[in-house]
Structure formats: structure tokens, C-alpha cells
Amino acid sequence: MRIARFTTGDDPRFALVQQEGDRTFLAVLGGDPLYMPAMPTGERIELGDPESGSGTPGVRLLAPVIPRSKVVCVGKNYADHAAEMGGEVPTTPLLFLKPNTAVVGPDDPVVLPEWTQEVSYEAELAVVISKVCKDVTPESALSYVLGYTVANDVTARDAQRTDGQWARAKGFDTSLPLGPWIDTDLDPEDVAVRSRVNGELKQDGRTSDMVFDVPFLVSYISEAMTLLPGDVILTGTPAGVGLVDHGDRMEVEVEGLGAMSNPVFRRR
């Protein structure tokens, strides 16, 4: 099951994503599926291609979830990325937080702050929590997961170096594109995680190369802090990160889940 959050110009709504040949439809749900069963209303909306003008006019995908309390991120969870950043692989997960004000959706602009000149993309698999999760075991951890989505952990590298703490470098507004939807059936054990900039492949890793897998991460984080419905965990990025600037377009993809792209914008 794939759950999308969308708008047609009014308040955000949720829908199930249905594929019929080369056409995609949104089966509209009543309410928020994080808090109630996913009950279709009977309304269906075609999700088309904005460039070709197909589909229902005005429909736009949003970030599939706005985290209720927090986004918990895992740093250096791929050995090749740790090496390219000049660091060792942590012996335990390296955790940091992003605020929910960083979240944007598919095709939303990532706006570069004036105070940074070195902004980088990071393609990641994101985990969406379904229910209150505290002190769970790795064996039971996946029962607390609603599903998975694609994330871009946009980072101000210069601020990351100078600040020591990563709050500003990782948490600025628009620094977390999420989308295009939540997939409840994805097996996260071994799928490709890729990024492209202006159509050129930059990252191409696999979740099987993560130092700490999804069940361990959910368990480890739940020992430190209570995870709430709608909270999001970013699982780390593979090697190949690089810089973007005004006019670039970033695309991030998780195999079997989908892709999402965002333009990069700097106010002149």
C-alpha cells in the first residue's frame, strides 16, 4: 500500500496511490491514516504529469508526513560515505535531529540560506513510525513502522564544519524534502539508494551496505527517546555526496519506492 498526502488547492488530504497501466490515481481517504483506518471515500483523482498537462488540474503531492515531534537522523551509516567525509565508521549509531520545519515535499524548492556557500544533497531511505515506540527490541521494531519514504538530507557543509553541532547545518528551512509517498510494503533490507543532479547520477548505494540496519536503528533510538506516530528516521546516505547551487535540480530515489526531485533556489 502506498499512502500519499496531496492538495488540489484546499487543505491537505491523504490518498492511496493506485497504478493502472501508465496512469496514476489517488483514491482519497477520509482522515489521517496514522490515526484511523485507511477508509477510501470513493473519490478518485488522477495524478498526471504537470509538464504534459495530463491528470487532474491543480493536484500536487505534498510531503507524505509532517513529523509530529521530530526527525531522527543517523550519520555515517555507510562506510564509504564515512570514508569520503574523512571519518571513521561510528561504533554505535551517530544521532542528530532535524526539526519538522525543515520538511518540504516533491518539487518544492530547497532555498539556500545566505550564510552558506557549500550545500550538499544526501539521498536516504526514511522510516515512518506508526505508533508509540519505546524500548523495543530489534526483533519487534518493524511492527512499529508504518512504512518508508524517500528523503534528501540537505546539508550546509561549511556550517557543519564550523559549528561543531549540526543543528544549523542540517536543520535550516527546506533542508528535508520527503516524498513522493509512504510505501507500507517495502522490504528495506537490500534496495538501491540513488541521487542525481541535473540528471547525472551521483550516488548509487544499497541499504544492505548500511552499518546499522533498520530494525537495529529503531530499537537503538527507542532506548534513548520515545518515538511517536509520524516521527521519521533517516537511515544515512551512501558515498557520492557533492555540492549544488542555484538553478540545479536534485533527484533522490529508493528502488521499489519511487523518486522525488527538487529545484535549488538562492534568493538574489
Side-chain angles (χ1 to χ4, degrees), residues 10-11 26 30 46 60 80 117 152 169 173 211 213 251:
D10 49 10
D11 291 339
L26 301 178
E46 184 172 3
R60 182 168 68 91
D80 56 1
Q117 300 302 315
N152 188 351
D173 291 351
V211 179
D213 64 13
E251 181 182 69

Side-chain angles (χ1 to χ4, degrees), residues 12-171:
R13 293 187 286 170
F14 292 88
L16 299 180
V17 181
Q18 299 176 339
Q19 196 73 36
E20 296 181 5
D22 60 355
R23 302 172 70 188
T24 303
F25 293 88
L26 301 178
V28 180
L29 301 175
D32 186 337
L34 272 167
Y35 293 99
M36 60 185 65
M39 298 297 294
T41 64
E43 180 183 3
R44 289 218 314 170
I45 297 172
E46 184 172 3
L47 181 64
D49 180 359
E51 294 185 3
S52 67
S54 63
T56 303
V59 64
R60 182 168 68 91
L61 289 179
L62 305 173
V65 61
I66 299 296
R68 269 42 175 189
S69 67
K70 55 191 169 294
V71 180
V72 186
C73 309
V74 183
K76 300 181 180 179
N77 197 30
Y78 288 77
D80 56 1
H81 174 60
E84 76 175 348
M85 299 303 292
E88 299 293 329
V89 175
T91 57
T92 57
L94 173 61
L95 304 183
F96 60 94
L97 301 176
K98 276 182 178 267
N100 59 13
T101 50
V103 174
V104 292
D107 293 316
D108 287 338
V110 171
V111 181
L112 307 183
E114 294 180 358
W115 42 262
T116 177
Q117 300 302 315
E118 298 179 30
V119 175
S120 178
Y121 51 86
E122 291 190 4
E124 307 202 15
L125 172 71
V127 181
V128 181
I129 298 298
S130 63
K131 55 188 176 182
V132 176
C133 177
K134 177 62 178 173
D135 290 330
V136 304
T137 64
E139 291 72 25
S140 66
L142 293 186
S143 67
Y144 293 83
V145 172
L146 173 65
Y148 306 88
T149 192
V150 183
N152 188 351
D153 178 18
V154 181
T155 304
R157 295 293 181 204
D158 41 5
Q160 187 180 26
R161 289 194 304 271
T162 59
D163 288 5
Q165 298 290 326
W166 295 357
R168 186 171 66 131
K170 294 280 193 175

